[in-house]
Amino acid sequence: MSKYEKQYPSFFKKRLGELTPPVLKLTSPYEQFTGALQLLNHFFWSTELAYAACMAEYHEFEDSEQPVNVILAQVGSHGLKPSTGTKKPHYRAKMGSLLVQLRWNYDALGRYALIEAVSIGENYTHQRLGALLGLKVPSSFEACYKNLRGVGIRLDPLITFRAQMFKLLRNHVVHERSTVHSFPLPQTVAAVRDLSKRAVSWDLSADWQDRLRAASNELLVTTRLAADAYDVPHLFFAGIYCLTRIREYGDDIEAALPPPRHAPTA
């Protein structure tokens, strides 16, 4: 038994090693795609649930000056254990500050979901299109859409448009750290408008421009209204929508493309 287990025993009846994790079939590219998104969804919502539970349980400490390590001493957090050097807790803050930090964390959680979901979508696209086209797959979902049309495969234009919007957003926030109070960024708004202009030619339906406008508003307006209603950072709701839109994009590719080839077995 390690020194950490001796010092800080588990509160649970079963050790983590005794618990069987969810079994995911990771054989085909699509199974890998859906499995990765499932893990991301579990992380996203279990983390948000933990934030919400803590804030609800300790809401009366919103303006408290009492130290976190005193109020939450019973939870056994490693952040409240004394460090080797200073002998003080790793996390030293007032209880009121912790609750503010948890509310800020919704921005980081949305950012992580956005970055990871788009990365999962990119990886799946490269796996499926690389095997089909036999060439370097573009990093842009928009370019992939156009390349597939060139070989006679048509994806749903609105699904691709939505996925590309979130990819543009990912590109803008991956290095941006001020989104708690300033999202959407001006460059995101401009990029979505430019994408909308290019996407006009993707479909000749009479209502196509209205559908493009509604899709743009979902990202730039609907997510903001939802964030304002719940008083959490805007990027959190952008992350929620992104999880759905990237899953739809992967499903659309899987439905449109022929089944992937499997190497012959010996």
Side-chain angles (χ1 to χ4, degrees):
M1 183 177 291
S2 72
K3 64 178 182 179
Y4 300 106
E5 291 174 352
K6 290 179 181 178
Q7 284 183 294
Y8 314 126
S10 171
F11 291 142
F12 300 99
K13 294 180 180 179
K14 293 183 179 180
R15 302 293 298 174
L16 186 59
E18 299 176 55
L19 302 175
T20 304
V23 177
L24 301 175
K25 293 182 178 180
L26 300 177
T27 54
S28 73
Y30 182 69
E31 288 171 339
Q32 293 173 4
F33 168 74
T34 56
L37 278 183
Q38 182 185 44
L39 289 175
L40 179 57
N41 264 281
H42 287 173
F43 168 78
F44 182 87
W45 290 115
S46 62
T47 301
E48 191 274 337
L49 178 60
Y51 293 163
C54 184
M55 288 189 291
E57 179 70 19
Y58 296 97
H59 65 91
E60 70 271 19
F61 292 95
E62 180 178 4
D63 298 316
S64 175
E65 293 291 323
Q66 299 182 64
V68 171
N69 63 305
V70 173
I71 303 300
L72 300 182
Q74 77 282 3
V75 303
S77 166
H78 289 280
L80 302 183
K81 306 296 181 184
S83 65
T84 303
T86 65
K87 308 303 181 183
K88 296 179 180 180
H90 295 283
Y91 182 78
R92 299 192 293 275
K94 307 299 182 182
M95 193 64 193
S97 297
L98 171 64
L99 297 178
V100 172
Q101 179 67 62
L102 290 179
R103 294 172 67 188
W104 286 340
N105 284 356
Y106 276 76
D107 179 85
L109 184 59
R111 178 194 309 278
Y112 180 79
L114 175 69
I115 293 172
E116 280 294 294
V118 172
S119 177
I120 291 168
E122 288 174 331
N123 184 63
Y124 172 67
T125 301
H126 279 70
Q127 286 183 300
R128 289 296 273 122
L129 301 192
L132 176 69
L133 302 177
L135 46 80
K136 184 177 180 181
V137 178
S139 60
S140 163
F141 297 149
E142 176 185 4
C144 289
Y145 174 83
K146 294 176 180 178
N147 283 7
L148 285 174
R149 291 195 68 173
V151 296
I153 296 175
R154 182 175 173 83
L155 299 178
D156 186 303
L158 189 62
I159 289 177
T160 297
F161 176 79
R162 284 169 167 160
Q164 181 63 21
M165 274 200 307
F166 283 102
K167 183 176 173 63
L168 292 172
L169 174 60
R170 187 282 306 270
N171 293 345
H172 293 158
V173 306
V174 69
H175 300 299
E176 174 61 51
R177 296 290 177 245
S178 64
T179 54
V180 175
H181 300 300
S182 65
F183 178 80
L185 303 169
Q187 59 263 45
T188 302
V189 176
V192 169
R193 287 175 178 169
D194 289 342
L195 174 63
S196 298
K197 293 177 182 177
R198 296 193 301 272
V200 168
S201 63
W202 295 4
D203 194 296
L204 300 179
S205 303
D207 65 342
W208 176 235
Q209 291 195 49
D210 291 336
R211 294 162 66 196
L212 285 177
R213 189 178 303 108
S216 300
N217 287 340
E218 178 185 85
L219 171 62
L220 300 176
V221 179
T222 304
T223 53
R224 175 175 54 78
L225 294 177
D228 289 345
Y230 287 92
D231 195 22
V232 296
H234 189 162
L235 205 55
F236 172 72
F237 278 93
I240 293 176
Y241 278 78
C242 180
L243 288 168
T244 299
R245 298 314 182 196
I246 294 298
R247 175 59 187 264
E248 290 174 347
Y249 180 66
D251 288 347
D252 191 43
I253 289 178
E254 189 66 17
L257 268 59
R261 298 177 181 178
H262 297 285
T265 56

